[in-house]
Amino acid sequence: MGGFAGWAGMVTLSAVNVPMTLALTISIVFWSWILGRLLNELLRKRSDYQQLAHWVFLPGNRLNRWIGLGIFKWIVVHTFFRYLNQKLTLPGRPSREALEAVREEMVYSEISHLIGFGLVGVAVLVNVLCFEHPALTWSLLVTNVFMNLYPALLQQQNKRRLIAALSATKA
């Protein structure tokens, strides 16, 4: 059985490969974060990096609500995830400089997550084409959405709010 048609309906797991699949999924996503940050550092040195900084791929909040980004935001704010990037927190009444520094960190985090999303996407594609392990494919897809795509979407949403706050402050 080869290709997508061969394994599409074969999502059977034994007790042995579930822990291995989860461990491999977590390690691939973890490494995507590290590689995403490293590749982002290389991109940051390019003159066209600021074009990426202004890129908005979901311009409105309607789709964000539909995909449940508000629930994801609640989870981030009310769990240990809020401690992962302390550079994204603001003091009570921040200055314009503090808002701009947080915006730069948001852009960096957003682009790092998007690079990580793409890297895991490549891993999924390699798995589908070469290894045909459906449980790994699905666990990678789901984990990638929640650990890379949703954080990037949340950064986009927060960046729009921050840009509005920056435009409201005096230059």
Side-chain angles (χ1 to χ4, degrees):
M1 283 190 205
F4 181 78
W7 64 262
M10 298 179 12
V11 183
T12 58
L13 298 173
S14 69
V16 174
N17 65 3
V18 169
M20 291 300 291
T21 299
L22 292 176
L24 188 57
T25 298
I26 291 167
S27 67
I28 289 171
V29 171
F30 177 76
W31 280 103
S32 79
W33 290 342
I34 293 171
L35 291 173
R37 290 183 69 88
L38 291 173
L39 290 172
N40 197 8
E41 280 298 322
L42 294 174
L43 283 175
R44 223 176 188 180
K45 295 174 177 32
R46 294 178 49 101
S47 61
D48 56 352
Y49 186 78
Q50 284 305 313
Q51 290 176 345
L52 290 174
H54 297 289
W55 183 46
V56 178
F57 54 94
L58 280 183
N61 286 325
R62 180 187 231 174
L63 185 58
N64 287 343
R65 279 192 301 272
W66 187 79
I67 64 172
L69 195 61
I71 296 167
F72 181 79
K73 181 179 181 177
W74 186 92
I75 291 169
V76 168
V77 169
H78 292 93
T79 63
F80 70 94
F81 288 111
R82 72 173 170 241
Y83 299 113
L84 290 181
N85 194 347
Q86 290 296 305
K87 294 179 185 176
L88 294 177
T89 57
L90 287 169
R93 187 145 174 93
S95 66
R96 182 172 182 81
E97 293 78 26
L99 290 173
E100 288 172 354
V102 167
R103 182 182 179 279
E104 289 301 314
E105 187 60 33
M106 279 182 177
V107 167
Y108 182 78
S109 177
E110 170 193 347
I111 294 172
S112 294
H113 277 291
L114 288 173
I115 292 170
F117 182 75
L119 291 171
V120 175
V122 169
V124 167
L125 190 60
V126 167
N127 181 47
V128 167
L129 295 175
C130 300
F131 301 112
E132 300 181 2
H133 191 298
L136 179 61
T137 299
W138 288 109
S139 66
L140 278 172
L141 284 172
V142 170
T143 305
N144 197 24
V145 165
F146 288 110
M147 302 306 275
N148 280 320
L149 182 61
Y150 270 41
L153 293 174
L154 187 58
Q155 293 300 341
Q156 282 269 305
Q157 185 181 55
N158 290 337
K159 186 171 70 173
R160 284 195 303 272
R161 289 179 36 228
L162 190 61
I163 289 170
L166 278 168
S167 65
T169 61
K170 295 176 186 170

